[in-house]
Amino acid sequence: MNRRRCLAAGLCGAAAAVSLPSWGVDRLRIGLTPVILADQVAFLSRWGRYLSSRVGTEVEFVARESYQSILDLLFSGQIDAAWICGYPFVRFEAELSLLAVPLYQGQPYYQAYLIRSKTPAPEVQGWADLKGRVLAYSDPLSNSGWLVAQAQLAKAGVSTRDLKRGFFTHGHRNVAEAVAARLAQAGAIDGYVWETMRAQNMPAIAKTEVIWKSEPFGFPPLVMRKAQAHPQAESLRQALLRMGDDKVGRDLLASLNLTGFAPGQPSLFDSIRQQAQRVPGSGVGS
């Protein structure tokens, strides 16, 4: 129970790290779920100052622990843009437009991973071994942290009722930490996040290992509402696309383990769209 309380406290602390700024038209607000970095507040402050100097309007980041919370803020007009996942993008595509798509290792793609805790005799070799086991998810609106798992469990002939338990950690980093702490035997996680945690020598990575990788999916995009774009939206797009043109921008990108941003096309998310159409209850029709 102590480990569970510690993990829950960590989740709450991460979600509260950046609070909702005061409402106003003299600023541009970007919503996102907690980033991987240990110095989240300091990093988002630096990134905000960098973008502000290039957009000509104060840019602020708003962190919340779930994609649903970020989407609620976006659709209610309390933020102007959001960094979400490809799954909610295809689910609410009629209302959203792409602002920019991050480039990971030079490409707008990433993979979903299934990870397990390292043990002398691993209990889980793949999806079919999750019967009677505990599986950690990231977020109900995450492609790699929920949707992929539903598709792969079904493919392996395992229903969610066959699991001993499944629970949401509300953050890919938290998935790795839950598996490392043996709160779950396996976890559905964003491969970019796991690899970035490994590059940053985060302790949870030493206690977990990857046992499955998915096909490439379109990288989680930055989006805006179609109905009400901020007057400086195009300036923000250009500032993101040009971050690789100067040293400060490249340093910020390196902190995120990204190589840049691209305009992106909705077709990038076709594989997520097709997968969602096969998963009952995904909210994406055929």
Side-chain angles (χ1 to χ4, degrees):
M1 287 300 297
N2 287 338
R3 287 188 298 178
R4 289 184 174 89
R5 291 190 184 114
C6 288
L7 181 58
L11 299 180
C12 293
V18 180
S19 59
L20 186 66
S22 57
W23 203 90
V25 296
D26 59 339
R27 67 191 70 206
L28 198 158
R29 297 141 301 172
I30 303 172
L32 76 176
T33 52
V35 296
I36 310 163
L37 307 175
D39 64 339
Q40 171 178 284
V41 175
F43 173 79
L44 292 180
S45 178
R46 293 196 304 274
W47 195 11
R49 290 196 301 271
Y50 172 87
L51 292 174
S52 297
S53 68
R54 284 149 180 82
V55 174
T57 296
E58 184 178 359
V59 176
E60 295 180 332
F61 287 93
V62 179
R64 290 292 183 268
E65 72 169 27
S66 71
Y67 287 126
Q68 187 61 62
S69 297
I70 291 300
L71 288 168
D72 289 344
L73 293 176
L74 182 64
F75 290 138
S76 65
Q78 295 181 72
I79 58 175
D80 307 293
W83 193 352
I84 59 172
C85 182
Y87 171 36
F89 173 71
V90 301
R91 185 168 177 174
F92 303 105
E93 193 169 0
E95 302 169 68
L96 299 173
S97 61
L98 292 175
L99 177 65
V101 178
L103 299 176
Y104 172 51
Q105 298 179 343
Q107 300 293 325
Y109 299 104
Y110 78 115
Q111 292 173 284
Y113 286 1
L114 178 66
I115 62 172
R116 69 182 176 199
S117 56
K118 288 183 177 179
T119 62
E123 301 169 319
V124 178
Q125 303 291 334
W127 295 101
D129 300 318
L130 289 173
K131 287 184 178 181
R133 311 294 186 191
V134 179
L135 176 62
Y137 301 111
S138 172
D139 186 288
L141 284 174
S142 170
N143 176 54
S144 57
W146 184 80
L147 187 67
V148 168
Q150 304 313 298
Q152 292 302 317
L153 287 170
K155 186 176 179 180
V158 180
S159 75
T160 54
R161 293 186 299 274
D162 292 326
L163 300 176
K164 181 178 181 181
R165 187 164 68 96
F167 66 94
F168 291 104
T169 67
H170 297 290
H172 290 287
R173 176 177 174 177
N174 300 325
V175 169
E177 291 177 350
V179 174
R182 303 288 184 85
L183 300 179
Q185 279 86 50
I189 191 171
D190 180 325
Y192 151 76
V193 173
W194 193 89
E195 297 293 353
T196 300
M197 291 178 68
R198 182 170 69 166
Q200 296 175 356
N201 296 313
M202 292 190 174
I205 298 304
K207 298 180 180 180
T208 62
E209 59 187 348
V210 178
I211 56 174
W212 178 88
K213 297 182 180 182
S214 74
E215 63 181 293
F217 293 110
F219 203 95
L222 277 79
V223 301
M224 301 173 294
R225 285 189 303 160
K226 290 179 179 177
Q228 187 177 352
H230 192 281
Q232 298 298 320
E234 184 57 33
S235 296
L236 174 61
R237 187 199 317 274
Q238 293 304 318
L240 291 168
L241 297 181
R242 295 171 180 169
M243 281 186 66
D245 294 347
D246 61 80
K247 184 180 184 307
V248 176
R250 288 192 295 272
D251 288 345
L252 290 166
L253 288 168
S255 294
L256 289 169
N257 196 21
L258 297 174
T259 51
F261 286 89
Q265 297 294 330
S267 59
L268 272 173
F269 307 96
D270 282 350
S271 59
I272 298 176
R273 187 179 297 104
Q274 293 161 7
Q275 177 177 246
Q277 290 168 353
R278 297 192 297 268
V279 173
S282 70
V284 178
S286 57

